Amino acid sequence: GPFAYNTVITCEASPDDGKDTGSVATVSTTVGNTAPMVDSISLSPVTIYTDSTITATASLSDDDGQTVTADYAWHVVDAATGADTEVQTGADNTLDGTVHFNKDDQVYVVVTPNDGLTDGAAVASSSVTIANTDPVLSAVSITTPGDLSTTAVLSCGYSASDVDGDSLTASYVWTNLSTNTAFASVASSLQLTAATAGPGDIIECSVTVTDTSGGTDSLSTTETVVNTAPTFQIPATITTNGTQVGDSWSCYALGTDQDDGVLTPTYEWTDANGSVIGSGDSLTMTGGNSSPTASITCTATITDSNGATLSSSDSETVSNTAPVFDVAASISPNTGVTTSTVLTCSGSASDADGDSPALSYVWSNSNGTTYASVTSTLQLDPSNSTPADSISCAITATDDQGVTVSSSAS
């Protein structure tokens, strides 16, 4: 094999004429150092980005078998200016992109070997061009000033970054995933309508950001359309043709819903105790479902297609109905009356409210006398009557509210 560095090589020679040998002559030399060499250089990874770390792998050799080290001189050629700058030297075979290079710059390394005695010839690697790094979308959100209803204006926002520092352009795609329908809007905002979205529909906003080199990233998010509660255009209102028993009451209301349009109410009538006394939009007052001075309430309820309800109520007070005489007052007997006859005053009254009117009696004489009897009978005698006197009876019927009506006979 080869001689080692610093080895002394000696050559001795002596002449010989076949009869005698002459004096020996000696010459010596020392083996000098052979410079180390760079056999190859490769840079990795294959694709290098702005935030990558480049690693140089150099194959080194030395004919003397000495340990070889290397110095790495890293160069960056600026993409904008073309300037070649040595950015780092030393034993480090890596170069950090976050510190030293940007997109589209060219990077190469010059490797100089050293065997501890001398440097070998410097060798430059081939150049690599720093690739574009695609932008990164980290978040997409859908917001609206109020509830996300079928008439809401939606805004799509996003958070994105680009390690190359490129400016980014955003594009938007809005889709109703529930109907698999794309909206016409390609802007960051979307106006919903009842024709394009309904309660429960899932609305998606997909955002794509593009950098100046055409690198892209996409991300989407969804929100659900909420139901809008119904409202009354016209609240419950009672109209009557009177407020007494026998009169008919009507109740009317008109509902509407942002999602469903006009809603027809259902109606329920309740008394002052909350007991249900009728349904439908009309009610006839009877002694069975009402009483004087009682409050009757009509409640109108509207329900949308998603089951949301709203109620509106109106109340009126029942008026008292005066009692009436079914049988007018009469006195019997009405012939053959003497000063010793027992007279009977008869009559009957009723009340549409269901009251039982109380009857009271007043007996009087045409001579101006009012008798003490307050019952339905009167005993005549010579002390309280004379022939030709006219005897009268007045019956007063009083209902539970104190309203009276009278009937008289003589």
Side-chain angles (χ1 to χ4, degrees), residues 111-165:
V111 179
T112 302
N114 183 278
D115 60 7
L117 297 174
T118 186
D119 289 336
V123 176
S125 70
S126 57
S127 296
V128 293
T129 300
I130 307 305
N132 178 61
T133 303
D134 289 340
V136 175
L137 267 168
S138 56
V140 173
S141 62
I142 295 174
T143 58
T144 184
D147 290 337
L148 205 163
S149 68
T150 56
T151 59
V153 177
L154 311 185
S155 296
C156 190
Y158 68 90
S159 295
S161 59
D162 188 280
V163 297
D164 300 324

Side-chain angles (χ1 to χ4, degrees), residues 302-320:
I302 51 177
T303 304
D304 68 14
S305 60
N306 286 276
T309 63
L310 183 68
S311 295
S312 173
S313 299
D314 190 26
S315 299
E316 288 286 350
T317 301
V318 180
S319 298
N320 183 58

Side-chain angles (χ1 to χ4, degrees), residues 14 33 66 83-84 92 174 187 219 232 237 254 264 280 324 348 359 393 408 410:
S14 58
N33 183 56
Q66 296 166 312
D84 186 329
D92 192 350
W174 294 90
L219 189 64
F232 279 99
T237 304
L254 182 62
T264 301
V324 296
S348 63
L359 301 180
C393 172
S408 299
S410 59

Side-chain angles (χ1 to χ4, degrees), residues 4 9 15 18 60 83 144 165 171 174 201 205 237 242 253 268 276 332 369 407:
I9 300 173
L60 309 174
T144 184
S171 60
W174 294 90
D201 283 358
C205 176
T237 304
E268 184 176 77
V276 178
S332 63
T369 300
S407 178

